[in-house]
Amino acid sequence: MADVVVGKDKCGEQRLVLLPLSRIRVIMKSCPEVSSINQEALVLTAKATELLVQYLATLVQYSYRHGSGKEKKVLTYRDLANTAEESETFQFLTDILPKKILAGKYLKMLKEEKREGDEENDDDNGSDHDEAES
Amino acid sequence: MAERPEDLNLPNAVITRIIKEALPDGVNISKEARSAISRAASVFVLYATSCANNFAMKGKRKTLNATDVLSAMEEMEFQRFVTPLKEALEAYRREQKGKKEASEQKKKDKDKKTDSEDQDKSRDEDNDEDEERLEEEEQNEEEEVDN
């Protein structure tokens, strides 16, 4: 099976699809419910994925430039994670693009949560005690 | 079917190229962000496939087709992709048609050549047999494509 759609053009014209179809196919077939894939569906999925990559790249760049007013030279992971969180369309990406947090900060958060949990338990014990008396 | 984790990744070089072409000159992307976009692209393929498959199952079909993918894009709220995808589909179909016609022409030329070299058989009989052979080969080609 041909890996790319449209033969290579010596004039350097754009191919229809850049991503390797064989790899796209492997990913699609890893879906358990899928039995077979029409060649056109394969090509369209590859093309859609390219559009997504372009979209992510431009979205991140656009939002940053219009936010801080500064030209951004390097797009970072943080930009991506923020974009994923803010846009509803990209909700499906929030699991794989989690916002990062320093380990020390996270441990602190855990401690605070635990402390709040302990305080609640103390209140409960107190009210039980009152009920028992009356 | 068990795949190694790296099989589900898309090639870095291609991803980088697509990103670079989408960004203006002078703007770069960190290695980490590029790797994240690559992972996002893989997840997108899975999500799109699963969604498209639902449409195929609704239509009681076992093979995903182009319409299923387009419907999936709408479902996933990526309507912005639908028009460029339809254009790509048209271009692909034209290209496939062109290839088929080119290979058919080659066969006809080749057969004409053997015709003129072979003096014993009558010309009409040969042409009929060749047309039948061509049709059979066409059918075989189509079956191979849809797997």
Side-chain angles (χ1 to χ4, degrees), chain B residues 11-27:
Chain B
N12 265 333
V14 181
I15 296 286
T16 307
R17 184 173 158 189
I18 299 172
I19 294 173
K20 282 218 163 108
E21 285 178 5
L23 294 173
D25 288 336
V27 180

Side-chain angles (χ1 to χ4, degrees), chain A residues 63-74:
Chain A
S63 67
Y64 192 89
R65 192 146 47 92
H66 285 67
S68 68
K70 263 193 298 191
E71 276 291 330
K72 180 91 169 176
K73 289 297 172 192
V74 178

Side-chain angles (χ1 to χ4, degrees), chain A residues 24-118:
Chain A
I24 299 278
R25 193 160 183 274
V26 166
I27 302 173
M28 289 177 88
K29 290 286 260 182
S30 74
C31 247
E33 314 91 34
V34 168
S35 9
S36 55
I37 304 160
N38 170 317
Q39 188 73 357
E40 286 182 349
L42 180 60
V43 169
L44 284 191
T45 304
K47 188 72 189 169
T49 309
E50 287 182 15
L51 293 173
L52 177 87
V53 171
Q54 286 171 357
Y55 187 32
L56 278 175
T58 53
L59 204 69
V60 174
Q61 204 252 341
Y62 181 84
S63 67
Y64 192 89
R65 192 146 47 92
H66 285 67
S68 68
K70 263 193 298 191
E71 276 291 330
K72 180 91 169 176
K73 289 297 172 192
V74 178
L75 294 173
T76 62
Y77 177 88
R78 184 185 293 177
D79 299 324
L80 209 55
N82 286 341
T83 304
E85 194 181 280
E86 285 156 23
S87 168
E88 259 199 51
T89 318
F90 293 110
Q91 282 302 301
F92 71 97
L93 291 177
T94 49
D95 279 347
I96 65 153
L97 295 176
K99 283 191 164 172
K100 295 200 290 190
I101 189 171
L102 288 175
K105 203 174 174 189
Y106 183 64
L107 290 171
K108 206 174 162 191
M109 274 167 60
L110 280 180
K111 271 190 197 159
E112 281 180 12
E113 276 176 36
K114 187 168 183 286
R115 193 163 35 89
E116 282 169 22
D118 288 343

Side-chain angles (χ1 to χ4, degrees), chain A residues 5-6 23 27-28 30 33 35-36 38-40 44 49 55 58 73-75 80 89 96-97 100, chain B residues 7-9 22 28 30 32 36 39 45-47 49 53 62-64 77 80 85 92-93 95 147:
Chain A
V5 179
V6 179
R23 194 71 67 86
I27 302 173
M28 289 177 88
S30 74
E33 314 91 34
S35 9
S36 55
N38 170 317
Q39 188 73 357
E40 286 182 349
L44 284 191
T49 309
Y55 187 32
T58 53
K73 289 297 172 192
V74 178
L75 294 173
L80 209 55
T89 318
I96 65 153
L97 295 176
K100 295 200 290 190
Chain B
D7 287 341
L8 300 181
N9 291 336
N28 275 311
S30 73
E32 211 186 359
R39 286 201 309 278
V45 173
L46 286 171
Y47 183 23
T49 304
N53 197 50
K62 286 196 171 165
T63 307
L64 287 191
E77 293 182 34
R80 55 174 51 235
L85 284 179
Y92 175 72
R93 284 175 174 168
E95 188 234 0
N147 58 355

